[in-house]
Amino acid sequence: MIEPLFRCPGQQIRPFSHSVGISARCCSLPLQRVMTDFGADHAFGKVPKKLQEHYGIEMPVSTIRTVTENHGQQMNSQRESSTLPVVTGCQQQIVEIDGCMLPIVTTRTDKGDKRKKKILHWKEARLALAHEEGNITPKFDATFGGSVDDAGHSLLNCAVTAGLGINTQIHGVGDGATWIADQMKKRFGSQASYLVDFYHVCEYLGGASKICAANDEKKLDGCSGKTLKEQ
């Protein structure tokens, strides 16, 4: 495009660039948002086609990757700066955090057929959520391959975003993993309580029945009339 320039002694004025907030080889904030949105959901190599299809914009993969990763780093920095607020906050929150192992494939960089040099390893992804009691829209955060302290901080971020305050009571629920209970205590202190959910209680009792009732794992419970596994 042709852009008019205004010159004066020791200064160059670019009205168009100033008004739209962009400069040469720069992307506007709305365009960065679109690229980051696509880049977070799809492989970087597929994003140019989607940009062309939905917005009629041509953009190289390298720029899309740079912009997406830059915004990801900024989000991570903002997340790490979260602290327990000093406002009153909501009355009650329900929070939960859990993790699972995901398979990751990497390729060695040495020469040769890369198809034969793929390495499979595992990383743990941990998802956290929090919402005010009665609110059906939870706040999410996640970590991938980080420590349990990183996961605990992500849970704190969710709680802060959901309206956590100094008077908020935290009701945590989960599978009873020690690291989760430790993070609940570390992040929220006396404001939090932690409860093992019914499904996992049943699962643990079912596993314990092999030892507690080794000769009759399906021994009926006198109160409910159900087997130990069914409870």
Side-chain angles (χ1 to χ4, degrees), residues 25 27 35 59-68:
R25 300 185 181 277
C27 300
M35 290 192 295
M59 191 66 63
V61 176
S62 58
T63 301
I64 294 170
R65 178 172 182 171
T66 299
V67 170
T68 303

Side-chain angles (χ1 to χ4, degrees), residues 91-109:
Q91 181 177 358
Q92 179 80 55
Q93 281 188 359
I94 293 90
V95 304
E96 185 172 0
I97 188 169
D98 205 352
C100 68
M101 302 302 292
L102 299 179
I104 305 298
V105 177
T106 57
T107 304
R108 299 207 310 264
T109 57

Side-chain angles (χ1 to χ4, degrees), residues 18-68:
H18 179 73
S19 62
V20 298
I22 61 174
S23 58
R25 300 185 181 277
C26 172
C27 300
S28 65
L29 287 178
L31 178 56
Q32 291 184 47
R33 180 174 181 176
V34 170
M35 290 192 295
T36 303
D37 190 18
F38 283 143
D41 292 338
H42 306 280
F44 293 130
K46 296 181 179 180
V47 177
K49 182 177 179 180
K50 289 187 172 293
L51 276 176
Q52 178 65 40
E53 178 182 355
H54 292 280
Y55 298 95
I57 299 174
E58 295 183 4
M59 191 66 63
V61 176
S62 58
T63 301
I64 294 170
R65 178 172 182 171
T66 299
V67 170
T68 303

Side-chain angles (χ1 to χ4, degrees), residues 7-229:
R7 300 176 184 272
C8 60
Q11 187 178 8
Q12 178 176 276
I13 302 175
R14 305 178 66 173
F16 175 78
S17 296
H18 179 73
S19 62
V20 298
I22 61 174
S23 58
R25 300 185 181 277
C26 172
C27 300
S28 65
L29 287 178
L31 178 56
Q32 291 184 47
R33 180 174 181 176
V34 170
M35 290 192 295
T36 303
D37 190 18
F38 283 143
D41 292 338
H42 306 280
F44 293 130
K46 296 181 179 180
V47 177
K49 182 177 179 180
K50 289 187 172 293
L51 276 176
Q52 178 65 40
E53 178 182 355
H54 292 280
Y55 298 95
I57 299 174
E58 295 183 4
M59 191 66 63
V61 176
S62 58
T63 301
I64 294 170
R65 178 172 182 171
T66 299
V67 170
T68 303
E69 292 181 344
N70 180 57
H71 281 284
Q73 292 175 356
Q74 293 183 33
M75 291 171 63
N76 186 58
S77 299
Q78 293 173 2
R79 181 179 67 182
E80 292 177 351
S81 64
S82 295
T83 56
L84 196 64
V86 293
V87 297
T88 302
C90 60
Q91 181 177 358
Q92 179 80 55
Q93 281 188 359
I94 293 90
V95 304
E96 185 172 0
I97 188 169
D98 205 352
C100 68
M101 302 302 292
L102 299 179
I104 305 298
V105 177
T106 57
T107 304
R108 299 207 310 264
T109 57
D110 49 335
K111 296 181 180 180
D113 190 346
K114 293 185 178 181
R115 294 174 299 177
K116 299 180 181 180
K117 297 182 179 181
K118 294 181 179 179
I119 302 173
L120 175 65
H121 55 100
W122 296 80
K123 284 188 177 182
E124 185 170 12
R126 298 183 178 96
L127 179 65
L129 67 84
H131 65 87
E132 183 180 357
E133 183 181 16
N135 190 326
I136 61 174
T137 306
K139 305 298 182 181
F140 293 96
D141 201 349
T143 59
F144 184 61
S147 66
V148 294
D149 284 333
D150 294 333
H153 201 93
S154 72
L155 181 62
L156 175 61
N157 290 329
C158 292
V160 171
T161 306
L164 175 68
I166 56 177
N167 294 330
T168 304
Q169 294 300 309
I170 303 293
H171 174 63
V173 60
D175 61 8
T178 303
W179 72 268
I180 300 178
D182 291 343
Q183 288 299 318
M184 290 286 297
K185 183 177 181 180
K186 181 177 181 179
R187 301 299 172 179
F188 306 111
S190 60
Q191 289 183 239
S193 62
Y194 185 63
L195 181 70
V196 181
D197 62 69
F198 183 70
Y199 173 84
H200 283 96
V201 169
C202 295
E203 187 177 47
Y204 299 150
L205 288 176
S209 67
K210 297 178 181 179
I211 297 177
C212 298
N215 297 327
D216 189 3
E217 295 181 23
K218 295 184 178 181
K219 184 178 180 179
L220 294 177
D221 177 81
C223 297
S224 63
K226 296 181 179 180
T227 67
L228 193 57
K229 287 187 176 180

